[in-house]
Amino acid sequence: MGVFEIDSDAWALIEKHARKDYPDECCGLLAVGADELSVVHGCENIQNKLHELDPVEHPRMAKTAYRMDDLQVSRILTATEDASGKLSAIYHSHIDCGAYFSEEDQKAAQFSGEPAYPGVTYLVVSVIDGKVENGKAFSWSDDSGQFDEVPLTIV
């Protein structure tokens, strides 16, 4: 597992999104274009809508969970691949607590015990009282069979 590097402009956009969506979790995708430039795709957190429709199936609200719209994600991924780019990270924020990869995050990032998006890093941004405290990166480890923290470098 190596260092995850993100350019400062992209990181600033992720932080802005996290502050804007507070006190709900934000979520989105980070793509790298064929030109090697990072592109931030902020997505809508539909967790509150899901909870409203079926609170038994979706007991958590957007303050403690996120869910991206599958169609929105599919459109972003298709447009990224059509432009010879690739998905490099999925991000979300944690509200009024630290940046860590929770058990729920681990489950959501896996399919049958393997990464749902191989080679993709997960970024978690801690937002406390509306201010970004820090961020951390998590990548798949074959050794541990889960997503482990890796160094995050903003360049």
Side-chain angles (χ1 to χ4, degrees):
M1 289 184 293
V3 173
F4 185 81
E5 290 186 355
I6 182 171
D7 71 68
S8 59
D9 290 340
W11 185 255
L13 289 172
I14 291 171
E15 285 190 353
K16 181 179 180 181
H17 186 189
R19 288 190 307 271
K20 180 181 79 63
D21 281 13
Y22 181 89
D24 288 340
E25 290 190 4
C26 76
C27 52
L29 308 174
L30 178 69
V32 176
D35 54 8
E36 295 298 315
L37 294 177
S38 296
V39 181
V40 176
H41 299 277
C43 294
E44 178 188 2
N45 183 350
I46 63 168
Q47 188 68 34
N48 284 340
K49 291 177 183 176
L50 295 173
H51 175 78
E52 191 175 302
L53 290 171
D54 189 347
V56 174
E57 181 70 25
H58 303 280
R60 297 167 68 201
M61 302 284 290
K63 182 174 174 57
T64 60
Y66 78 96
R67 174 67 191 260
M68 290 183 259
D69 179 276
D70 293 337
L71 184 57
Q72 183 182 24
V73 169
S74 177
R75 287 178 177 150
I76 291 167
L77 293 178
T78 298
T80 298
E81 290 167 5
D82 286 351
S84 299
K86 66 176 186 156
L87 178 65
S88 65
I90 296 172
Y91 72 87
H92 74 281
S93 58
H94 279 182
I95 304 304
D96 296 326
C97 64
Y100 62 95
F101 212 59
S102 70
E103 190 174 321
E104 287 293 321
D105 294 334
Q106 289 280 355
K107 286 181 198 172
Q110 295 179 45
F111 182 77
S112 296
E114 295 292 327
Y117 293 96
V120 171
T121 297
Y122 287 78
L123 304 173
V124 182
V125 180
S126 169
V127 184
I128 298 178
D129 293 328
K131 295 181 179 79
V132 172
E133 290 293 313
N134 66 358
K136 294 185 178 179
F138 301 87
S139 292
W140 182 257
S141 167
D142 286 330
D143 291 339
S144 68
Q146 65 177 14
F147 287 86
D148 292 332
E149 186 176 349
V150 296
L152 173 63
T153 302
I154 301 167
V155 294

